[in-house]
Amino acid sequence: MKKRLLAALVASATVLSFAGCSSNTTSTSNTNSSAPADNSSVADNSSVADDSSVADDSSVADDSSAAADDTTDISKAGTGITLSESEGKVFNIYAWNEEFKGFFEKYYTVPEGVTVNWIINPSDDGVYQDKLDEALLNQASAAADDKVDMFLAEADYIVKYTNSDYTLDVSTIGVKQLDTEYQYTVSAASDNNGAIKGVSFQCCPAALIYRRSIAKEVLGTDDPAEVQAQLDNWDKFTEVAQKAKDSGYYMTGSYVETFRTFSNNTTSAWVDADNNLVIDDAIKQYIAQAKDFLDKEYTLPCGVWDDQKTAEMYKDGKVMCFFGPAWYYNFSMSNAQDPEKGCSGDWAICQGPQAYFWGGTWLLAATGTDNPEMVADIMNAFTANEDICSKLIENEGQFTNNMAVNQKYADDPTFGNAFLGGQNDTAIYVELAKNIKFENKTQYDQLLNEKLPDVFLDYFKGNISEEDAYKNFYQYVNEKYPAIVTP
Amino acid sequence: MSTQKRKSVSYSKWGYIFIIPFFVVYIFCSLIPLFSTFYNSFFENYRDGLTQIGPNFVGFENYIKLFTPNSSGNILILDYTANTMIMWLLGAIPQLIFSLLLAIIFTSARLKIKGQQFFKTVIYMPNLVMASAFAMLFFTLFSNVGPVNQLINAMGGETVDFFGNVWTARGIIAFINFLMWFGNTTILLMAGIMGIDQSLFEAASIDGANSVQVFFKITLPLLMPILVYVIITSLIGGLQMFDVPQIITAGIGKPNRSTMTLIMYLNNYLSTSKNYGMSGAISVVVFIITGILSMFVYKTMVKGDDSGKKKAKKLAAKGVK
């Protein structure tokens, strides 16, 4: 009997060891530029088989010659530099999705003998940041080939890295400082002393993306200028939402859809100088709007990335407006681009009620990298190399961080995006990009921005009072960030 | 002489040698982490972005913080204990009844069910699926546009917001746990029932006992030790409930934190800011709760068994064999 009692206690003691567990969702894949002799570190080459240019191991082996051919072809336009002896043979890039990886593999020629290692963790719930932080904190003791060489960061948390010693001043490794870069992308990548820690390969002014056919029915026109005139402020936007509802449509597909427009136009940061949590008036405005929109059924009770919302992008979808920058319809609207069920060409963009930007991918150099030359080469390739930038616009529908190239396409009367029914989106973004300011950012932004709407959903649905929703949000902040003081 | 010496040779040292590996692993993987958790809970120790704060010794401050009522007068850790227990009970009670029933059916000498191996495999199957996969599956099934709601709509009903309503959300989580674990419980209980001497059942049937009487007079009392084991392990597993609610509610215990479990609470402290102090304190509280509840279950259920043992001991003391 004593023994059994002991067994029960021992079993309950294992509760505590739970704390040590952590799930590991890291996915790693490798890309080879040639067949390096020291291939032992390469885990699995077949993982790149999804890339059309790299079919299998055997084609990887003679990739260097293929790459040489490709430079004359359209697909490869990288620089293909020869690195000095001191450079490492393994290049580790941390990222949270496949977007940049796709462009990198298509347009950048990896120097001979270097293996590129992508460590991709999803950004949901801050997982990407957690994994990246862990790697950076261990950077000093990691073996040269295991060190983070370059990592990607998003507008929501880039300040955490730029203002730390874990990122390199890239002017010291030969990254060209260009006048053609948008000023906000440069200030976002600068630390408090003005040292520039990285570059962005895209500029992300965001727009209102609407369905032409639905706009015609609701507003009587699908012309971007006329649509814009009918919803250029929030009052008009709400009026149009009522009209859309009367015609049997939803104004937006998610109660979080407009959140970034508000959170991007706040007058204060999430936390003040004394680390007190601040709920800005713009955020309060969002809360009021989301409640109103859900009550009146102008929108759906689902999150920005929910399947229910993206299903509305199909031809038979009932949602008129989506909010996002160029990357949004390239990367997150695949349902709309579906050849059978989608409705490519039935879309257009205009500025919408309020100017804002959302996201953006910055490339940052990690302190301690053993591949500084290659880091600099990649950064230069995706900002200064006009060939690559042109391809990003033409083939990928991107809005690049090179004003000269953007302007060229904006001025080209024959240029248009087929997805947007031939509309020249670059011309619109050139105008919108002038309004972007990078301000009021903190290192806590990602989770605060993503979870506030999530936590408030109970209130929006009418299950709890607004006061209780605030309490739940404060509690969430307390748990996640002990350093923030909540009311 | 020599034969006498041999008689006193003890082989018990081999017993000790054979259990060394277990104790080494146990000490390093369980006991030391256990004590380090206690130790950590007395420190302020977390990360603010890339900056490490602490560890600074703060005494019982983490515990005080845990048990300080919030502005609405609720002590959150008690609320989350209640959530966890409710969701455990919602799953464990039906699970025990159902498993007991299945175990009796499968072991019944009268019924002699065919294809037992097949059924045993099938009911155990859900346990092999990852909890997170299960959670995702049910999340999709019961979402507002999922198959279940489509069915309800097709039958003329209104869309039910399963994950927006406290009791449906808790119910679904409990149901997933039920589905995952009833096979395991059934197999344990079957082993228990098969361990009971068949002659008792035969004697009972000769005496004219019906199945209900056999169950309450023979099966249940003799199954008690296994039942206690099953309940206590289930309780411990229930208190550690994490993956299913975490995934279904995106880590915030939707709706209104009513599905927030103790370990989700712990995970929130631990995952982003590596707050070892607070999560250590929560772990210790979970440890104490688990200990108390296990003791309670044990004490209430083993009473009868206990007296039997005492009787046996008395008899043994008297030298009666």
Side-chain angles (χ1 to χ4, degrees), chain B residues 95-120:
Chain B
Q95 178 189 319
L96 264 183
I97 296 171
F98 198 73
S99 297
L100 208 51
L101 201 68
L102 278 178
I104 288 165
I105 292 172
F106 280 135
T107 51
S108 163
R110 275 195 212 157
L111 292 173
K112 280 203 185 114
I113 301 255
K114 277 179 192 154
Q116 267 207 36
Q117 286 305 326
F118 171 76
F119 288 116
K120 271 191 228 168

Side-chain angles (χ1 to χ4, degrees), chain A residues 173-454:
Chain A
I173 57 170
V175 174
K176 288 175 235 164
Q177 186 48 54
L178 303 163
D179 303 335
T180 51
E181 281 172 54
Y182 289 91
Q183 189 46 46
Y184 95 93
T185 68
V186 179
S187 47
S190 308
D191 70 5
N192 293 338
N193 305 320
I196 296 163
K197 300 293 191 71
V199 299
S200 171
F201 77 94
Q202 53 187 191
C203 173
C204 296
L208 183 144
I209 307 157
Y210 63 89
R211 272 284 287 278
R212 284 176 184 268
S213 52
I214 298 178
K216 240 181 202 160
E217 209 176 309
V218 174
L219 301 170
T221 174
D222 70 344
D223 180 71
E226 288 174 39
V227 170
Q228 172 62 21
Q230 296 197 50
L231 37 68
D232 58 5
N233 65 45
W234 287 117
D235 289 339
K236 285 188 187 174
F237 186 79
T238 312
E239 275 169 37
V240 175
Q242 180 60 45
K243 275 190 211 168
K245 192 195 171 190
D246 294 341
S247 316
Y249 294 104
Y250 292 104
M251 190 61 173
T252 54
S254 156
Y255 67 98
V256 199
E257 197 72 30
T258 56
F259 178 78
R260 294 280 172 174
T261 349
F262 292 102
S263 72
N264 208 236
N265 284 300
T266 53
T267 50
S268 55
W270 269 113
V271 294
D272 65 13
D274 300 325
N275 251 358
N276 291 307
L277 185 76
V278 181
I279 308 280
D280 194 89
D281 284 340
I283 302 289
K284 288 179 181 156
Q285 218 182 322
Y286 159 76
I287 292 168
Q289 192 205 48
K291 173 77 181 149
D292 185 44
F293 271 42
L294 269 176
D295 281 350
K296 293 182 177 153
E297 293 181 344
Y298 295 160
T299 188
L300 293 165
C302 45
V304 234
W305 308 109
D306 282 8
D307 292 345
Q308 190 185 350
K309 178 195 145 183
T310 50
E312 295 290 343
M313 293 171 185
Y314 288 129
K315 204 185 296 167
D316 54 3
K318 293 279 175 217
V319 170
M320 178 166 140
C321 304
F322 293 87
F323 281 75
W327 62 256
Y328 185 77
Y329 50 79
N330 291 320
F331 199 71
S332 305
M333 288 182 75
S334 53
N335 284 353
Q337 288 156 357
D338 191 283
E340 272 172 36
K341 288 156 83 185
C343 44
S344 185
D346 192 25
W347 301 88
I349 60 166
C350 62
Q351 179 186 337
Q354 214 171 355
Y356 72 110
F357 80 96
W358 177 17
T361 307
W362 276 264
L363 318 176
L364 299 176
T367 306
T369 170
D370 59 338
N371 298 70
E373 288 175 23
M374 189 166 154
V375 170
D377 187 50
I378 295 170
M379 289 184 180
N380 289 329
F382 282 92
T383 51
N385 187 318
E386 298 201 351
D387 197 22
I388 292 183
C389 291
S390 304
K391 300 249 151 56
L392 286 175
I393 296 180
E394 270 178 41
N395 304 342
E396 314 292 343
Q398 286 284 312
F399 185 65
T400 71
N401 194 14
N402 187 314
M403 287 190 214
V405 176
N406 289 342
Q407 195 61 49
K408 193 176 85 192
Y409 286 94
D411 294 342
D412 182 354
T414 61
F415 177 73
N417 188 328
F419 175 73
L420 303 173
Q423 186 186 13
N424 187 338
D425 50 347
T426 309
I428 292 182
Y429 288 130
V430 163
E431 288 307 308
L432 295 183
K434 291 174 183 161
N435 303 322
I436 300 181
K437 287 186 204 86
F438 188 86
E439 53 192 17
N440 299 327
K441 298 287 177 198
T442 72
Q443 58 169 321
Y444 311 111
D445 290 2
Q446 189 199 349
L447 287 185
L448 299 184
N449 282 334
E450 285 175 3
K451 288 296 176 180
L452 179 120
D454 223 4

Side-chain angles (χ1 to χ4, degrees), chain B:
Chain B
M1 266 317 261
S2 62
T3 47
Q4 261 198 340
K5 251 191 183 172
R6 253 203 203 143
K7 262 186 188 167
S8 67
V9 164
S10 158
Y11 291 100
S12 64
K13 70 167 179 183
W14 291 107
Y16 289 113
I17 289 170
F18 288 144
I19 59 172
I20 283 176
F22 166 76
F23 276 96
V24 169
V25 172
Y26 174 73
I27 286 167
F28 283 99
C29 299
S30 240
L31 204 64
I32 293 177
L34 175 71
F35 285 114
S36 79
T37 309
F38 276 92
Y39 179 76
N40 271 318
S41 68
F42 297 113
F43 288 84
E44 175 192 53
N45 179 3
Y46 63 89
R47 230 187 263 156
D48 182 27
L50 289 159
T51 322
Q52 175 65 33
I53 313 277
N56 307 317
F57 184 77
V58 290
F60 282 93
E61 201 174 286
N62 290 327
Y63 293 93
I64 293 167
K65 223 185 266 175
L66 269 187
F67 285 96
T68 307
N70 68 359
S71 51
S72 358
N74 297 334
I75 297 171
L76 290 169
I77 191 159
L78 298 183
D79 289 357
Y80 302 149
T81 311
N83 290 344
T84 316
M85 290 308 295
I86 287 169
M87 285 192 284
W88 171 65
L89 284 172
L90 278 181
I93 293 173
Q95 178 189 319
L96 264 183
I97 296 171
F98 198 73
S99 297
L100 208 51
L101 201 68
L102 278 178
I104 288 165
I105 292 172
F106 280 135
T107 51
S108 163
R110 275 195 212 157
L111 292 173
K112 280 203 185 114
I113 301 255
K114 277 179 192 154
Q116 267 207 36
Q117 286 305 326
F118 171 76
F119 288 116
K120 271 191 228 168
T121 315
V122 168
I123 58 172
Y124 196 78
M125 217 71 109
N127 208 319
L128 303 178
V129 180
M130 250 186 353
S132 46
F134 241 114
M136 281 312 291
L137 176 74
F138 273 76
F139 186 73
T140 319
L141 275 178
F142 286 90
S143 84
N144 287 354
V145 289
V148 174
N149 263 317
Q150 282 173 10
L151 202 69
I152 293 173
N153 289 341
M155 293 189 305
E158 286 266 303
T159 302
V160 181
D161 187 7
F162 284 103
F163 299 110
N165 181 306
V166 177
W167 287 101
T168 46
R170 282 176 176 170
I172 288 170
I173 292 166
F175 182 66
I176 296 174
N177 282 318
F178 161 77
L179 210 56
M180 283 186 67
W181 290 100
F182 84 91
N184 186 54
T185 310
T186 306
I187 286 175
L188 286 173
L189 292 179
M190 274 172 73
I193 294 172
M194 285 191 292
I196 299 171
D197 193 347
Q198 275 297 320
S199 59
L200 292 173
F201 293 110
E202 277 164 28
S205 66
I206 289 167
D207 287 348
N210 61 27
S211 342
V212 178
Q213 283 170 322
V214 170
F215 174 74
F216 283 105
K217 303 280 183 197
I218 298 177
T219 316
L220 205 54
L222 291 170
L223 195 59
M224 240 353 146
I226 297 286
L227 212 54
V228 171
Y229 168 78
V230 165
I231 291 174
I232 290 181
T233 46
S234 165
L235 169 80
I236 292 166
L239 280 167
Q240 291 179 42
M241 196 187 295
F242 170 66
D243 28 21
V244 173
Q246 170 81 12
I247 285 168
I248 281 189
T249 68
I252 55 171
K254 283 185 264 192
N256 195 20
R257 294 195 153 238
S258 63
T259 54
M260 178 74 82
T261 67
L262 284 167
I263 304 294
M264 282 167 75
Y265 186 46
L266 184 157
N267 180 65
N268 272 354
Y269 277 108
L270 199 60
S271 61
T272 302
S273 43
K274 305 277 175 286
N275 195 339
Y276 292 114
M278 284 302 278
S279 33
I282 296 174
S283 300
V284 170
V285 173
V286 175
F287 175 69
I288 293 167
I289 292 174
T290 312
I292 292 173
L293 288 177
S294 302
M295 208 80 90
F296 175 74
V297 171
Y298 189 84
K299 284 280 175 204
T300 47
M301 292 194 65
V302 207
K303 259 179 201 155
D305 186 39
D306 228 26
S307 59
K309 279 249 175 85
K310 269 179 197 157
K311 221 180 202 175
K313 263 186 196 165
K314 264 184 201 163
L315 289 174
K318 280 184 187 163
V320 185
K321 292 233 165 160

